[in-house]
Amino acid sequence: MHFYSTRNSALSLSASAAIVKGISDDGGLFVPSSFPVIGKDEWEKLLNSNYPERAALVMSKYLTDFTYDELLEICNNAYSKFDGDPAPLVKTREGEFILELWHGPTSAFKDMALTVLPYLLTYSKKKLGVDDKTLILVATSGDTGKAALEGFSDVPGTEIIVFYPNKGVSPMQELQMVTSRGKNVHVAALNGNFDDAQTAVKTIFTSEDNKSELKKLGYDLSSANSINFGRLVPQVAYYVSAYCDLVNAGEIEMGDKVSYSVPCGNFGNILAAYYAKRMGLPVDKLICASNTNKILYDFITTGVYDVRREFYKTVSPSMDILVSSNLERFLFELLGRDSNALSTKMKELKEDGIYSISAEQLKELQENFSAEWTSEEDTTGMIEEYFEDCGYALDPHTAVAISANEKLKDKIDSKIVTVSTASAYKFPTVVYEALTHKKTDDAFYACEQLEEYTAEMQPEGLSLLKTLDRRHDTVCDRDKIFETVVNFLK
Ligand SMILES: *Cc1c(COP(=O)(O)O)cnc(C)c1O
């Protein structure tokens, strides 16, 4: 298995080189040269494995310059930081399951990959004989930031800098980031929204001047965003794992198709589901759920991707994204792996803010993905309704996905696994208001009230935040991002 760029299929990198680089110099994303298929005997093995073993097996199909034993050691280490089973499947109603991916250190699904990535990076550097320090630059819509800070804190040979949209994340998310510890961690609020932060960070990655200046300081750049293949590959595993759990529970027979519903932002999570499907996972529908920033819904229903639109701040901030970077990887497949055609589309997007696909391509897109979107009112309405119906408190992101299922239900015959991307306690004021119709701005008060109301304990990582000092207070403008980076490193 080798890796090339979506914008240059003549490249050929090993998995470790793709992980160390993060993003290709041409601005493209690294993709595997083919999709490995999970064999019959491997499925047998997966059914009888625990989560780290399943993850190691799935990852070994792509990361062929790692041994299975190395990957198992990595996964055992990473998932020991979780509170119990890293990816439990909860049955809420007949035919409906919630895959809880938020039992990691920061209570969001980003931990599934960001606990693994620092190990992948460290092993990769060793394999390649890279001695330079690695600078991890992150743009976050809220959850990636903390998960990356947590994952890379005090990892030898790395320095991590996170940019989040100033006033664009939830109070809990902000507090998680600004209280982060570690000698090598830096955090800054960037004036602008997430797309501004993502674009500004991407500019550094594609600027030869910036990169050579960093090199002089002794740093190579890499990314912990889902543009890094090392972020994507651990995510493929939980789709496979949920399927195994359904088989083992007698809910389905091996080979039966299952639908997965995913609250989408950067399209990384659902793209991992598509990769799992290409590996032979029996998938019926992949449901792409959006909030009011419904650009993915519009694209999947019309074939036109148009960012020239208003940007909304919603109660599901981790999905407040207009330029979904991982869509590029799917588009690459849709365009028959033609990197020239893909480059043209990305150029149109950058210059005109819009591109479209042909009727035939749209048909293929719709064969793979269904889409729905949910208003703010219906999102909070769903949190209340679901709690009344199933006694289960959804976070606002997961509620967007459940709402999508409700709208599509009549068209779906298979069992539905909804991917729950955050603990309700990560967005406590929204959930508290949805459930009780009372308002508060105090996240900790809301958590306490929710514990009483739902009889579910809040994750320790969140309740401890109250006791921590704010350690990071840098604010920067978009055009000063590189100066801010250099200042942190000096
Ligand atoms: C990041 C995130 C999403 C969006 O996932 P993508 O991979 O960017 O599509 C959804 N919900 C939560 C809670 C998140 O943190």
Side-chain angles (χ1 to χ4, degrees):
M1 179 79 62
H2 64 273
F3 289 79
Y4 41 66
S5 162
T6 49
R7 300 189 197 180
N8 179 6
S9 46
L11 279 181
S12 176
L13 273 73
S14 64
S16 29
I19 290 166
V20 169
K21 268 189 98 61
I23 183 169
S24 183
D25 293 330
D26 50 42
L29 309 189
F30 292 118
V31 284
S33 51
S34 63
F35 287 105
V37 170
I38 301 172
K40 203 164 179 280
D41 46 333
E42 287 172 323
W43 277 112
E44 271 316 308
K45 194 168 166 209
L46 285 165
L47 286 173
N48 296 307
S49 296
N50 64 21
Y51 191 82
E53 290 163 350
R54 287 174 181 169
L57 196 156
V58 170
M59 286 164 59
S60 73
K61 307 286 285 179
Y62 289 99
L63 310 182
T64 48
D65 46 350
F66 287 67
T67 65
Y68 171 80
D69 287 340
E70 282 174 329
L71 291 167
L72 184 59
E73 186 180 313
I74 289 174
C75 291
N76 276 328
N77 280 329
Y79 294 120
S80 70
K81 295 170 185 149
F82 282 60
D83 184 11
D85 183 350
L89 191 65
V90 177
K91 184 173 184 175
T92 48
R93 284 194 289 227
E94 200 46 52
E96 286 182 38
F97 303 84
I98 291 189
L99 178 59
E100 294 180 345
L101 299 180
W102 39 260
H103 293 279
T106 77
S107 307
F109 93 96
K110 306 292 197 292
D111 290 326
M112 297 301 295
L114 279 165
T115 49
V116 177
L117 183 62
Y119 292 105
L120 290 180
L121 185 73
T122 308
Y123 275 71
S124 297
K125 281 171 76 177
K126 213 184 231 164
K127 284 179 195 297
L128 300 170
V130 174
D131 289 327
D132 269 349
K133 282 187 147 192
T134 305
L135 170 62
I136 306 288
L137 269 192
V138 179
T140 183
S141 58
D143 291 328
T144 295
K146 178 59 182 178
L149 290 162
E150 193 68 30
F152 281 97
S153 174
D154 292 328
V155 171
T158 68
E159 207 69 30
I160 173 162
I161 306 178
V162 169
F163 291 93
Y164 69 89
N166 200 5
K167 309 206 166 63
V169 298
S170 84
M172 206 62 124
Q173 288 175 323
E174 193 198 9
L175 208 53
Q176 278 188 316
M177 287 188 276
V178 300
T179 55
S180 293
R181 290 155 192 259
K183 285 192 284 294
N184 62 339
V185 310
H186 314 274
V187 180
L190 184 120
N191 291 321
N193 61 32
F194 171 70
D195 289 310
D196 298 326
Q198 178 153 268
T199 307
V201 165
K202 221 170 165 186
T203 310
I204 299 180
F205 273 97
T206 46
S207 159
E208 288 309 322
D209 289 350
N210 287 173
K211 279 192 286 192
S212 67
E213 202 171 329
L214 290 170
K215 191 88 187 164
K216 277 187 218 143
L217 294 170
Y219 292 97
D220 282 332
L221 266 186
S222 191
S223 168
N225 279 97
S226 52
I227 50 180
N228 192 322
F229 191 77
R231 254 293 291 282
L232 191 64
V233 69
Q235 296 180 179
V236 179
Y238 47 75
Y239 291 98
V240 172
S241 177
Y243 190 88
C244 293
D245 287 347
L246 285 174
V247 173
N248 285 341
E251 291 284 350
I252 56 170
E253 299 211 15
M254 197 69 216
D256 289 351
K257 285 189 175 179
V258 168
S259 294
Y260 292 90
S261 177
V262 186
C264 290
N266 236 339
F267 208 71
N269 199 356
I270 200 165
L271 182 82
Y274 171 77
Y275 273 43
K277 180 178 174 181
R278 294 293 302 262
M279 296 175 80
L281 180 70
V283 170
D284 180 17
K285 293 268 189 294
L286 294 177
I287 301 168
C288 172
S290 297
N291 62 22
T292 322
N293 295 300
K294 61 183 186 63
I295 189 161
L296 289 168
Y297 167 81
D298 290 341
F299 180 57
I300 292 168
T301 50
T302 67
V304 180
Y305 198 87
D306 187 353
V307 294
R308 303 167 307 170
R309 63 175 68 208
E310 199 177 330
F311 175 87
Y312 299 98
K313 282 189 185 181
T314 72
V315 292
S316 44
S318 303
M319 301 159 74
D320 291 347
I321 293 172
L322 295 182
V323 184
S324 299
S325 55
N326 266 294
L327 188 58
E328 178 166 341
R329 285 193 168 106
F330 180 73
L331 206 58
F332 180 70
E333 304 301 329
L334 199 59
L335 298 175
R337 302 204 139 205
D338 177 343
S339 53
N340 289 327
L342 188 276
S343 301
T344 307
K345 297 271 184 241
M346 291 300 111
K347 194 155 167 271
E348 285 169 20
L349 181 65
K350 193 166 178 202
E351 287 171 5
D352 312 323
I354 182 169
Y355 67 82
S356 55
I357 54 175
S358 71
E360 203 180 311
Q361 289 157 352
L362 178 60
K363 192 162 161 270
E364 193 183 329
L365 174 65
Q366 292 173 346
E367 275 161 15
N368 283 292
F369 299 96
S370 305
E372 268 303 337
W373 74 281
T374 306
S375 69
E376 292 290 274
E377 208 186 326
D378 288 351
T379 303
T380 49
M382 183 51 74
I383 294 173
E384 184 181 18
E385 191 183 319
Y386 211 73
F387 189 74
E388 277 169 12
D389 216 35
C390 314
Y392 190 100
L394 300 166
D395 97 287
H397 304 78
T398 312
V400 167
I402 297 280
S403 303
N405 302 351
E406 293 297 311
K407 289 172 191 149
L408 292 167
K409 230 172 190 171
D410 295 342
K411 296 182 203 150
I412 297 176
D413 295 326
S414 50
K415 304 215 159 154
I416 303 183
V417 172
T418 301
V419 175
S420 179
T421 49
S423 156
Y425 284 104
K426 202 154 186 189
F427 303 91
T429 53
V430 177
V431 178
Y432 172 72
E433 189 179 339
L435 293 182
T436 65
H437 298 274
K438 290 185 215 155
K439 245 185 150 54
T440 177
D441 288 330
D442 182 343
F444 295 114
Y445 173 78
C447 282
E448 282 164 22
Q449 293 295 307
L450 279 178
E451 280 191 330
E452 281 188 25
Y453 198 87
T454 65
E456 287 280 340
M457 291 282 283
Q458 60 177 308
E460 204 181 3
L462 296 179
S463 55
L464 284 177
L465 281 179
K466 233 186 327 209
T467 64
L468 303 179
D469 295 331
R470 293 177 83 98
R471 311 163 76 93
H472 307 274
D473 56 7
T474 305
V475 179
C476 90
D477 283 327
R478 267 182 269 179
D479 54 343
K480 294 281 182 333
I481 186 168
F482 189 65
E483 285 163 67
T484 308
V485 167
V486 173
N487 279 339
F488 277 141
L489 297 177
K490 276 183 173 162

